[in-house]
Amino acid sequence: MARVASTYSLLALLAGLSPGVVVAQEHVGSESRIGVVPANSATKPDGGDIVVTARKRDERAIDVPIALSAVSGEALERRGARNLSDFLQEAPGVGIYDYGSGAQKITIRGISTSLGANENGYYLDDLPFTGVTVPIAPDVRAWDLDRVEVLRGPQGTLFGEGSMGGTVRILTKGADLNDWEAKGSTYVSSTEGGGTNRGIKGAFNAPIIPGVLAVRVSGTGEHLPGWIDNSTTGGRNLNEQRFTTFRAKARFDPTDRLSINGSYWYYNGDFPGGDATATDDGQQSRSIVLGSGTRYRLYGASARYDLGGADAFYGYSHNQLSLPQSGTFLGGALISTIDITVDAHEARLASSASGPLQWTVGGYARDAKRADAFNFALFGLDNTGEVTSKARALFGEGTYSLPFAPVDVTAGLRYYHERLRGFEANAGVVTDQPGGTYESWNPRVSIAWHPVANSTFYASAAKGFRAGQLQPTVSIALARPLGIILPSALSQDSIWTYEIGGKAELLDRKLTLEAAVYYSDWKDVTVRIPIGTTGFNGLINSKGTRTKGVEASAVLRPVTGLTLSVNGSYNDATYAGSVPGTGIIDGAPVDDVAKYTANASVDYRHELATGVSGFGRIGWQYNTPRRFVSFPGFLPGDTINRVDARIGVDLDQLSIAAFVDNLTDDRGAVSYRTVQPIAPGDDDITASRLRPRTIGVELTARFGGAVR
C-alpha cells in the first residue's frame, strides 16, 4: 500500500491506518515548457546521422557534448514496442518499470525519489509532466512517434525544473506538408496465466494544400486482460488494462519563413481491477486494491518565424491530467480524484546562421493548479485540497567554437521563480497553506573537443533544481503535541553533476562508442519521518544524496542489416546523512535505484527476394535489485532478466511478425517489496511485476507517397 501512496495522495491519507506507512499529500508547481521540432529534425536510418534537438537546435547526436540516446519511432514500431518500459532502460544509466496503472517509475543516474515534483524531466512533444507533485511519468503508447531522446545529466538550463538526473523527450510525428501516408497495425497475443490481448492502431497524414497546409491524425485502442489472481475472492486475471489514445496535428506554412502548428493529444487508460502489484505467488494484495484511471488532454499551438540568421518561436500549451481512484476497504467505499491543470507559454530566439557562435535566449511563464478530493466515510475522512503555482523563468545558452582549435565552449544560465500557495479542508474545516516563494539560478558549463571527425570528448558541470512543496496539514497537527516541529513548506532542492565523457564513430562509422563518468551531489532531498507512534509521517529536508557512476555503450554494424548493441551502467547512489526514525543512514542506498543495469540486443534484416525482407531481433534487459530503505521493514526486489524476441517478414507495403515478450517468464519483484502488517505475525508482501511470457502475432500495413 505504501508504494501506491507514494504515487497518489489517496493512499497517503490512508497510510495513517497502519504503522510505518506514508502520509504525504505532496503539492508543488511545475515548470511547463513548449518547443517546436523542426520539420527536418528526424532520425535517419541505421548507420546514418541521428539529428536531435537536445539543445533546442538541430545537431548531430555525435556532436552534442551531452550523454544522450536517441531512437527513431520507425525503429520502435519495427521492434513492436508497446510503451516506454519496453525500451527506455536500454539507455545507459536509466531504470524504469511499469506500475501497470498508466504510469512508469523512471530513474536516471541514481536520481530517485517518491516525493515532490519529477526528479527527472519528462516531455511529451516538449510539454513536461513535472509538478504532478509526485514523480509520475504518464504512459505513452509507442506508436507514430518521430523519436525518443534521453538526455542524461542535469538539463536545468534549457529544460527547467525537475531535469536533475536527466530528461526524457517523447516527440510525436508532425504533419507532413508534401507526402500523404496511411498506416495501420493490429496484434493479438496471449499472456501465460492470463487472457488474450488485442490492439489496433492507425495513422493518416494528408497534405490539404501541398507545401502549405497538412493534418495528421493517429490513434490506438488496446485491451489487455490481467494475469493476477485473488485467492480470497476467487477472482482471476484481475489487473485488466484498457487504453484509448488519439492525436491530431496541423501545420500551416503561409510563407517560406513562417510555420504555425496546432496539436491535440488525448489519452485514456482504465485499470478497474488494480495495477501490476502482486505477491510472489501471483496474488493480489490482501490489504487494499483500488481501481484507477489515467487521463490526460494536451492542447498546443506554436509559431516559428525565420528572421534570417535567427529563428523566433512562441508556444502555448494547456494540459489537463486526471487520476481517479476508487475501491472498497473494510466494507467502506473509497473515492479519490486528483485533477491538475497547467497553462504554459514560452518565447525564445535562437541563432540559425552558420558561424562560431550559436545561441538561444528565451522566457517562460506557467500557471498550474492541482485539486484533490478524498472521501472515506467509514473512517470519517472527507478531505479536499488545492494548490496553485505561478512560475516564471529567463534562460540563455551559447556555444562558441574556437577559431584555432577543434574546441567548443558552452555556457548557459536559467533564472527561475515560483510562488506556491494552497489550502486543505478536512470535514469542511479549511486550513490555509501560505506556501512559499522559490528562486534559483541554474548554470551549465562545458568544454568539448573534436579531435577527428565524428568524435566528441567533453567535460561539464551542470546544476539541476526543483522547487519545494507544502506540508500536509494533518502531519503538522499531529506532530505539534509531540513537540515535533515540521515546516509548513519544504525547501527547494538542487543538484550539481560533474561529468567527463566521450563518443566516437569508428571503422568507417560501423562502430559507435560512448562512455561517461560522473559525480552528483543532490542537496536537501525531501524525506519522510515518523510522527511518534501515530503511524503518520511528516516531511523534512534531508542532507541529500551522493552518486558516483560509470556508463558505457557500443553499437556495431559489421555487415549490412546486422546491428549488435550492448550497454551497461554502475550507479553508487547513497544517502549523505542519517534520518532518525527511518531506515536512512549515512551511506545507505538511495530508494528504488538499481546499482547495476545492462542491456544487449541483436537486430538482423536481410533481403530474401525483390521487395521481400526477413527480420529478427532478440533483446536482453538486466538490473540488480531495487531497495527502499526509508521504511526499514520493506524488502529488496529481485534481479531481473527480461528477454524479448521478434521475427517476421516485410513486403513492400505489408509486414507480419511473431513475437515473444518476457521470453524467460521472469516474474520476480521488479520494484522493492512493500511489507504491510495484516495481523500479528501476518504480513502482506507485494511488489510490481513484469507481464508474464506473452506470445503473439502482429500485422502492419503502410501506404503513401508524394502528393502531385
Side-chain angles (χ1 to χ4, degrees):
M1 183 168 77
R3 185 197 63 76
V4 182
S6 70
T7 306
Y8 300 133
S9 64
L10 164 59
L11 292 189
L13 291 168
L14 278 179
L17 305 178
S18 300
V21 184
V22 177
V23 165
Q25 192 167 5
E26 302 97 352
H27 302 289
V28 71
S30 70
E31 177 165 2
S32 291
R33 294 180 46 77
I34 319 161
V36 64
V37 180
N40 62 343
S41 182
T43 47
K44 296 185 178 180
D46 291 348
D49 290 329
I50 296 178
V51 178
V52 297
T53 52
R55 295 195 292 182
K56 303 288 186 181
R57 58 182 185 267
D58 288 0
E59 297 176 282
R60 296 193 313 158
I62 197 70
D63 297 329
V64 181
I66 296 172
L68 66 87
S69 302
V71 59
S72 70
E74 180 184 355
L76 292 176
E77 290 178 19
R78 284 203 309 263
R79 62 176 289 179
R82 306 278 178 245
N83 67 3
L84 297 187
S85 62
D86 288 342
F87 67 89
L88 203 59
Q89 187 168 291
E90 294 176 8
V94 176
I96 183 171
Y97 60 86
D98 187 356
Y99 287 131
S101 59
Q104 293 95 21
K105 172 64 176 177
I106 298 175
T107 63
I108 303 178
R109 290 187 167 181
I111 305 305
S112 172
T113 182
S114 58
L115 294 169
N118 285 36
E119 71 276 46
N120 296 296
Y122 188 76
Y123 286 73
L124 306 184
D125 275 341
D126 291 303
L127 173 69
F129 271 85
T130 62
V132 180
T133 70
V134 285
I136 288 180
D139 173 49
V140 172
R141 312 313 288 171
W143 172 252
D144 205 41
L145 303 182
D146 180 56
R147 69 185 182 279
V148 177
E149 298 177 1
V150 183
L151 318 179
R152 303 189 294 280
Q155 308 296 325
T157 301
L158 289 179
F159 289 95
E161 181 195 16
S163 295
M164 298 198 296
T167 298
V168 176
R169 305 179 68 212
I170 300 110
L171 303 169
T172 62
K173 283 191 175 181
D176 191 306
L177 294 174
N178 298 303
D179 294 338
W180 74 273
E181 180 187 9
K183 65 178 181 179
S185 178
T186 184
Y187 71 87
V188 62
S189 63
S190 177
T191 296
E192 192 159 322
T196 300
N197 314 298
R198 54 192 181 273
I200 187 168
K201 310 172 186 179
F204 181 70
N205 187 90
I208 307 302
I209 304 175
V212 178
L213 175 65
V215 296
R216 186 179 191 90
V217 295
S218 64
T220 67
E222 298 172 85
H223 179 215
L224 287 70
W227 70 90
I228 297 172
D229 303 331
N230 190 316
S231 58
T232 302
T233 64
R236 292 182 55 80
N237 304 338
L238 298 171
N239 58 316
E240 174 188 13
Q241 299 176 316
R242 297 192 294 263
F243 303 99
T244 303
T245 71
F246 175 76
R247 291 196 302 268
K249 286 191 165 184
R251 179 175 174 180
F252 177 47
D253 287 13
T255 72
D256 291 339
R257 294 192 170 207
L258 176 62
S259 182
I260 301 171
N261 293 270
S263 64
Y264 170 74
W265 190 329
Y266 168 84
Y267 174 98
N268 184 68
D270 285 314
F271 318 97
D275 58 17
T277 300
T279 62
D280 287 344
D281 59 354
Q283 301 296 310
Q284 277 193 335
S285 169
R286 290 175 292 152
S287 174
I288 182 172
V289 176
L290 298 177
S292 64
T294 299
R295 301 179 180 101
Y296 57 81
R297 290 178 174 82
L298 310 179
Y299 306 83
S302 64
R304 183 180 182 182
Y305 189 76
D306 181 0
L307 296 171
D311 286 338
F313 168 81
Y314 167 76
Y316 165 76
S317 70
H318 176 77
N319 167 33
Q320 297 174 330
L321 174 68
S322 179
L323 304 170
Q325 287 186 302
S326 63
T328 301
F329 183 54
L330 299 177
L334 295 169
I335 301 173
S336 170
T337 58
I338 300 174
D339 293 302
I340 299 169
T341 303
V342 178
D343 289 281
H345 306 260
E346 179 172 307
R348 66 174 183 263
L349 194 65
S351 60
S352 59
S354 60
L357 179 63
Q358 300 294 313
W359 50 269
T360 300
V361 295
Y364 136 92
R366 187 267 295 131
D367 295 328
K369 181 173 72 173
R370 168 175 170 167
D372 292 55
F374 173 77
N375 186 274
F376 187 27
L378 181 65
F379 279 34
L381 297 176
D382 182 9
N383 177 276
T384 59
E386 184 175 291
V387 172
T388 58
S389 170
K390 293 182 179 294
R392 305 292 184 261
L394 296 172
F395 59 91
E397 184 175 274
T399 299
Y400 181 70
S401 299
L402 301 183
F404 52 83
V407 174
D408 302 329
V409 179
T410 298
L413 183 66
R414 187 184 195 92
Y415 170 72
Y416 177 78
H417 179 280
E418 180 176 350
R419 179 75 174 97
L420 192 65
R421 299 193 61 180
F423 72 84
E424 283 191 24
N426 292 284
V429 179
V430 178
T431 302
D432 185 55
Q433 296 176 292
T437 299
Y438 303 96
E439 289 184 298
S440 184
W441 293 90
N442 306 280
R444 176 186 179 89
V445 294
S446 71
I447 183 168
W449 175 44
H450 310 280
V452 296
N454 303 317
S455 68
T456 299
F457 297 89
Y458 63 90
S460 67
K463 182 185 178 186
F465 67 100
R466 297 188 306 167
Q469 62 187 106
L470 301 184
Q471 184 84 236
T473 57
V474 65
S475 298
I476 296 175
L478 290 172
R480 189 177 296 114
L482 300 176
I484 301 173
I485 305 302
L486 297 175
S488 60
L490 282 299
S491 300
Q492 63 195 33
D493 54 9
S494 63
I495 189 171
W496 272 100
T497 294
Y498 309 92
E499 177 178 352
I500 298 175
K503 59 185 81 172
E505 293 177 337
L506 309 171
L507 304 178
D508 196 25
R509 305 186 72 180
K510 292 181 179 179
L511 175 64
T512 303
L513 300 175
E514 182 175 356
V517 295
Y518 51 88
Y519 173 77
S520 297
D521 187 6
W522 188 7
K523 298 290 190 183
D524 300 318
V525 181
T526 300
V527 298
R528 304 174 178 88
I529 61 167
I531 302 176
T533 58
T534 65
F536 285 76
N537 294 272
L539 306 178
I540 63 168
N541 291 101
S542 70
K543 293 182 179 179
T545 73
R546 301 187 183 101
T547 302
K548 301 183 289 289
V550 180
E551 59 193 28
S553 65
V555 178
L556 177 64
R557 302 178 181 90
V559 297
T560 301
L562 177 62
T563 302
L564 310 173
S565 301
V566 62
N567 74 67
S569 69
Y570 164 77
N571 280 294
D572 183 19
T574 59
Y575 287 102
S578 300
V579 179
T582 74
I584 298 175
I585 61 173
D586 190 5
V590 172
D591 292 340
D592 225 9
V593 173
K595 195 166 191 176
Y596 295 93
T597 64
N599 305 273
S601 66
V602 179
D603 286 88
Y604 185 63
R605 179 173 293 268
H606 180 70
E607 186 174 0
L608 303 175
T610 302
V612 181
S613 298
F615 61 86
R617 182 184 192 278
I618 186 166
W620 166 68
Q621 299 181 17
Y622 163 87
N623 64 260
T624 52
R626 296 176 168 99
R627 304 174 185 273
F628 199 93
V629 302
S630 293
F631 296 159
F634 283 13
L635 301 174
D638 293 319
T639 296
I640 297 298
N641 286 278
R642 170 177 169 167
V643 178
D644 299 328
R646 186 177 180 89
I647 188 170
V649 176
D650 259 341
L651 306 177
D652 284 338
Q653 296 174 322
L654 188 69
S655 67
I656 185 168
F659 61 87
V660 183
D661 296 334
N662 193 8
L663 178 64
T664 58
D665 199 26
D666 192 323
R667 303 197 189 194
V670 178
S671 61
Y672 52 87
R673 290 174 168 88
T674 63
V675 179
Q676 178 68 39
I678 299 295
D682 184 15
D683 293 331
D684 184 46
I685 303 175
T686 60
S688 292
R689 310 283 168 168
L690 292 176
R691 177 172 288 273
R693 182 188 296 116
T694 299
I695 302 174
V697 62
E698 184 172 43
L699 180 68
T700 302
R702 306 176 189 87
F703 307 91
V707 175
R708 302 184 187 280

